[in-house]
Amino acid sequence: MTRTDVPPLSSSSPSPPPPSSTLLPGDHRRLGATPDAGGTNFAVWAPAAASVLLCLFDHDGSEQRLALRERTLGVWHGYLSGARPGQHYGFRVDGDWDPQRGRLFHVDKLLLDPYARAICGSLVPNPSLAVLKDSGDVNPGDSAAHTPRSVIVGDDRFDWEDDSRPGVPWRRTVIYEAHVRGLTRLHAEVPEHERGTYAGLAHPAVIDYLRGLGVTSLELMPVQHFLSEPWLTERGLRNYWGYNTIGFFAPHADYSSSGSGGEQITEFKQMVKALHAAGIEVILDVVYNHTAEGGLSGPSVCFRGYDDRAYYRDDGWGRYADVTGCGNTLDASEPQVLRFVMDSLRYWVTHMHVDGFRFDLAPALARNSHHVDLSAPFLTAVHQDPVLRDVKLIAEPWDATGEGYQVGRFPAPWCEWNDKYRDAVRDFWRGQADGVRDLASRFSGSSDLYADDGRSPYSSINFVTSHDGFTLRDLVSYHAKHNLANGEDNRDGSDHNRSWNCGVEGETDDELVLELRRRQAANMLATLLLSAGVPLLTAGDERGRTQGGNNNAFCQDNEVSWYPWELDPNWSHLDQLARTLLALRAQHPVLRQRHFFEGKPRGGIGRKDITWLDSSGQEMTERTWLEPGTRTLGIFLAGDQLRAVDEPGRRRHDTSYVLWLHAGSEPVHVVLPEHWADHYLEVVRTDVSRCSAQPWKPGEAVPLLDHTFALFEAVGGQLSG
């Protein structure tokens, strides 16, 4: 046993050091730190290590080291009497130094517990954190003073009461992508000390807003404990988005208003419980494809210190195989690493009650050797797991390589972010599409991607914007990115945004340009919310949030990224539009199709389930489908199908609708279909401030401004036609 003094952490003080200095054998099966009434069992996997030290930290920062003597199946373990919840701890691992063989052991590196349920403290850039590249002759010093620490967490005694998953069916799902900190940082009704935290997100004012908007499922950007990259910290910036995970079992401590000694777990659970009580699901954006250790120039704070070659893929030449663009790639095909990932996922479902996951760069997890394999161990394990197979599973179906692009290929029950939908909608409304064929395919559920393997329209997670890229307002206000604030001379972020500034770059007081921008934003929002599939709305788009043209604001923890709760009157129409269309979508099954359109009457009676129209109100011909200059598309959605599936026991017909999407640069007259309704009522038009209450007659020509979306309800009429 040795003791050294290191600076104390500024966060919650741990309990006094345990009275015992003798480790009992303990249990190798319970990885991590597992306390009971008498002490804590410690177990960590490091199969090739020569020795492992358990490090305990006192309230004044002094360190006590105890050697773990027991090793079973590559797991070092021991039981320490008197070790209590709240105790800060870590591990030091010693052994061979042989980078070519993935041996990066060094006793001067203080390592986090991969299974830590709570993490306290931050990463302070220092040379001692880096991987030693030489034989070890040069020692940059001990890393303990510069690294966060693991915290022992007590028994799960949280009172969930009657909490249960809302179980929102995919056909009714509306996803809202949000950031825990950014969503409430500026909310005036949230107490100041709770803004930007789990508690702030659980505030009744925030939950009431989400419910009123029509959101069913909240997709949170990464909340597993993450670190800021040292190169960012040195520039005075921080990782805001959180795609740099280090603690895959631990809620991010900076999002806790109550403390970081385990209190963050309780606060996270209270947030989930409050959202569930409102009927809102919680989906986590998770980053198992890489870790915050990055490449060999990154900080050595956890995984590489236990078994670098096991945790990370190599390229066969002694370097990391980096298919993530983040320096390393987690090797989910290695059995113990796969167990680690699965244990983490199950923990968030069973202990934290989350409802699903969106997997960042999912193909990186589905690799055997160096190739994507959609029957890889990770996907197979998820499919057969009795806990995970029943939650929502969403893939970001690409990674940083060309081979990793797998849109439309993930097996059921996976749903996918559909970037083909994003691109088609953007191109159509900016007038750069090759006709209307691609838009029609994406609007109707992308059957070309998902129908061939028996999946449904809701396999497509439709989005026009996301956290990564322009906001909706910026998409219609900027042609080019403006990322100088990120400190990389505007080199970061995509140069291919499919955006259109409507004639002026950035902010302007030109009212004609502003009117067009407001209309264009509304056009894309309306298209998204009425398309077949699952709509994903980026937080703030419905209120005209702008990032000033920054399309890669991952390091902007400030007003650039935070949610604007003071509604800009110039963009307030988007909020009302979203509420109106999401309410209609929830009420009418015809606007949220469970099955792909067939282009014929369902059940052999009534009208076609969908009819595509040209501006004359006639059904589209092959010639008009192939015309690259077509900029106007009409869609008749027949409500003839019975609603028995959505409303058992109620056999009645749904409402029918006509939609017009006109992306032309000149006004147009569109003719409402004859014989299919007694009359038509305006529901939404993006070219007017208020819809007319006067009915339109079948066959009547409706004038639309350039770049206009219009929705009409078809009232009356015959079922056949």
Side-chain angles (χ1 to χ4, degrees):
M1 180 185 72
T2 60
R3 289 183 67 92
T4 59
D5 291 332
V6 297
L9 294 174
S10 59
S11 51
S12 305
S13 296
S15 304
S20 173
S21 60
T22 302
L23 281 166
L24 300 175
D27 185 351
H28 73 282
R29 295 168 297 180
R30 295 182 292 165
L31 292 171
T34 309
D36 58 27
T40 298
N41 186 84
F42 296 91
V44 65
W45 182 69
S51 64
V52 175
L53 299 175
L54 168 65
C55 307
L56 305 167
F57 294 91
D58 199 351
H59 64 277
D60 62 359
S62 60
E63 178 184 355
Q64 180 183 22
R65 301 181 185 178
L66 303 171
L68 295 174
R69 305 295 184 187
E70 301 290 331
R71 180 170 60 174
T72 306
L73 302 176
V75 177
W76 297 76
H77 53 97
Y79 180 90
L80 185 61
S81 298
R84 306 293 185 189
Q87 173 71 53
H88 292 187
Y89 72 100
F91 296 100
R92 296 177 184 272
V93 182
D94 207 357
D96 295 339
W97 178 258
D98 188 351
Q100 290 296 317
R101 297 172 59 209
R103 305 289 175 84
L104 299 176
F105 303 118
H106 204 293
V107 74
D108 283 341
K109 300 285 191 259
L110 179 69
L111 305 177
L112 289 166
D113 179 0
Y115 277 73
R117 266 51 171 178
I119 293 175
C120 183
S122 58
L123 188 71
V124 181
N126 187 274
S128 66
L129 297 171
V131 178
L132 297 176
K133 297 181 177 62
D134 301 321
S135 63
D137 296 336
V138 178
N139 184 358
D142 193 279
S143 69
H146 309 284
T147 62
R149 296 166 196 172
S150 309
V151 182
I152 298 175
V153 175
D155 294 339
D156 186 0
R157 297 181 180 178
F158 181 78
D159 185 4
W160 285 101
E161 298 181 287
D162 57 352
D163 178 76
S164 61
R165 293 208 299 263
V168 180
W170 274 117
R171 65 183 181 273
R172 290 182 173 271
T173 299
V174 176
I175 298 176
Y176 193 73
E177 187 197 36
H179 189 282
V180 169
R181 179 167 169 80
L183 187 61
T184 64
R185 188 64 184 84
L186 299 176
H187 200 302
E189 295 184 53
V190 175
E192 187 170 358
H193 74 283
E194 293 183 352
R195 295 174 190 170
T197 70
Y198 305 121
L201 200 150
H203 191 276
V206 178
I207 292 178
D208 287 348
Y209 174 79
L210 296 175
R211 290 185 66 186
L213 185 61
V215 171
T216 71
S217 308
L218 187 62
E219 182 177 299
L220 297 177
M221 292 171 65
V223 298
Q224 294 173 327
H225 195 88
F226 60 87
L227 302 177
S228 287
E229 296 86 339
W231 62 268
L232 269 183
T233 306
E234 291 167 356
R235 295 179 182 177
L237 299 170
R238 62 188 294 182
N239 189 314
Y240 170 73
W241 284 355
Y243 293 88
N244 205 41
T245 310
I246 198 65
F248 291 88
F249 289 80
H252 190 60
D254 285 351
Y255 296 160
S256 171
S257 66
S258 52
S260 58
E263 297 90 347
Q264 61 266 52
I265 299 175
T266 299
E267 190 169 323
F268 183 92
K269 291 176 178 178
Q270 290 169 335
M271 175 195 73
V272 172
K273 182 178 175 181
L275 287 163
H276 280 183
I280 299 174
E281 295 180 315
V282 178
I283 298 172
L284 302 188
D285 194 339
V286 290
V287 191
Y288 292 98
N289 58 79
H290 75 281
T291 80
E293 291 186 306
L296 287 178
S297 62
S300 184
V301 292
C302 189
F303 305 98
R304 66 164 56 107
Y306 293 108
D307 196 319
D308 183 72
R309 184 58 51 85
Y311 276 107
Y312 299 122
R313 292 187 177 276
D314 74 279
D315 64 356
W317 301 91
R319 299 167 299 191
Y320 287 149
D322 181 13
V323 304
T324 67
C326 300
N328 65 57
T329 304
L330 202 69
D331 188 357
S333 67
E334 205 290 328
Q336 191 70 24
V337 178
L338 177 60
R339 175 191 170 181
F340 164 77
V341 173
M342 297 297 289
D343 285 349
S344 170
L345 291 168
R346 283 190 294 265
Y347 174 79
W348 287 95
V349 175
T350 58
H351 290 268
M352 310 297 266
H353 285 207
V354 304
D355 303 281
F357 304 95
R358 179 264 189 189
F359 290 82
D360 183 68
L361 303 183
L365 294 166
R367 287 179 177 266
N368 275 327
S369 183
H370 300 294
H371 303 287
V372 176
D373 177 4
L374 294 178
S375 60
F378 168 71
L379 294 178
T380 301
V382 170
H383 291 176
Q384 62 79 43
D385 189 276
V387 173
L388 301 179
R389 65 191 180 201
D390 291 331
V391 301
K392 283 186 164 71
L393 300 171
I394 303 170
E396 181 184 36
W398 52 80
D399 58 25
T401 71
E403 182 212 2
Y405 188 78
Q406 300 292 322
V407 173
R409 296 192 60 205
F410 267 73
W414 288 81
C415 297
E416 302 175 1
W417 272 32
N418 186 353
D419 67 331
K420 291 182 181 295
Y421 178 93
R422 175 199 64 196
D423 295 349
V425 172
R426 290 187 180 190
D427 281 349
F428 174 79
W429 283 112
R430 71 188 181 116
Q432 296 297 312
D434 184 17
V436 296
R437 288 167 296 169
D438 197 16
L439 176 72
S441 177
R442 302 304 152 221
F443 178 88
S444 57
S446 296
S447 61
D448 58 324
L449 298 176
Y450 303 111
D452 59 346
D453 55 3
R455 288 194 281 174
S456 301
Y458 54 68
S459 297
S460 176
I461 307 297
N462 298 330
F463 66 104
V464 176
T465 68
S466 68
H467 67 275
D468 189 0
F470 282 143
T471 67
L472 183 61
R473 176 173 169 178
D474 288 355
L475 191 64
V476 300
S477 303
Y478 294 89
H479 171 71
K481 64 187 182 185
H482 295 263
N483 296 355
L484 286 174
N486 299 345
E488 299 182 55
D489 296 324
N490 211 40
R491 295 188 303 271
D492 63 307
S494 175
D495 293 312
H496 307 287
N497 297 288
R498 289 180 159 88
S499 60
W500 178 40
N501 62 18
C502 298
V504 177
E505 185 71 358
E507 295 300 314
T508 180
D509 56 3
D510 187 321
E511 189 56 35
L512 291 178
V513 172
L514 291 174
E515 284 183 6
L516 179 55
R517 288 179 178 178
R518 290 192 287 263
R519 199 156 66 245
Q520 281 287 79
N523 293 338
M524 286 187 277
L525 180 60
T527 305
L528 171 68
L529 299 184
L530 295 183
S531 294
V534 177
L536 181 144
L537 180 61
T538 304
D541 274 355
E542 79 280 11
R543 300 172 77 87
R545 187 176 75 86
T546 178
Q547 294 178 169
N550 193 325
N551 74 349
N552 188 39
F554 79 103
C555 57
Q556 298 299 320
D557 187 6
N558 48 48
E559 287 83 354
V560 170
S561 298
W562 297 342
Y563 190 100
W565 285 97
E566 290 187 11
L567 189 59
D568 185 337
N570 289 319
W571 297 91
S572 61
H573 67 299
L574 296 179
D575 181 83
Q576 186 56 53
L577 178 67
R579 292 171 185 270
T580 297
L581 294 184
L582 286 177
L584 284 175
R585 185 184 180 96
Q587 184 179 0
H588 297 290
V590 72
L591 298 177
R592 43 179 170 80
Q593 296 285 327
R594 296 180 64 244
H595 304 288
F596 288 109
F597 291 105
E598 298 177 359
K600 60 184 180 182
R602 290 184 178 171
I605 61 171
R607 293 173 291 231
K608 295 180 180 180
D609 52 5
I610 188 169
T611 304
W612 305 98
L613 307 171
D614 61 24
S615 58
S616 69
Q618 300 300 308
E619 190 165 357
M620 293 274 286
T621 65
E622 183 177 358
R623 179 178 179 180
T624 51
W625 275 121
L626 296 175
E627 175 55 55
T630 301
R631 295 288 180 264
T632 306
L633 179 65
I635 309 168
F636 189 92
L637 298 177
D640 298 355
Q641 57 266 38
L642 299 176
R643 300 182 61 176
V645 172
D646 283 77
E647 298 182 13
R650 300 186 65 184
R651 296 178 62 83
R652 64 185 180 88
H653 298 95
D654 197 8
T655 305
S656 296
Y657 290 96
V658 180
L659 297 81
W660 291 102
L661 294 80
H662 173 56
S665 58
E666 300 294 334
V668 69
H669 281 76
V670 294
V671 178
L672 295 169
E674 297 190 63
H675 311 302
W676 292 351
D678 294 333
H679 60 271
Y680 295 90
L681 296 177
E682 293 182 3
V683 179
V684 164
R685 286 183 57 168
T686 61
D687 61 345
V688 296
S689 59
R690 184 184 299 273
C691 286
S692 171
Q694 296 299 314
W696 292 86
K697 297 177 182 179
E700 193 168 359
V702 179
L704 301 179
L705 288 181
D706 61 287
H707 304 96
T708 291
F709 177 99
L711 174 68
F712 293 83
E713 178 185 344
V715 181
Q718 300 297 316
L719 293 181
S720 60

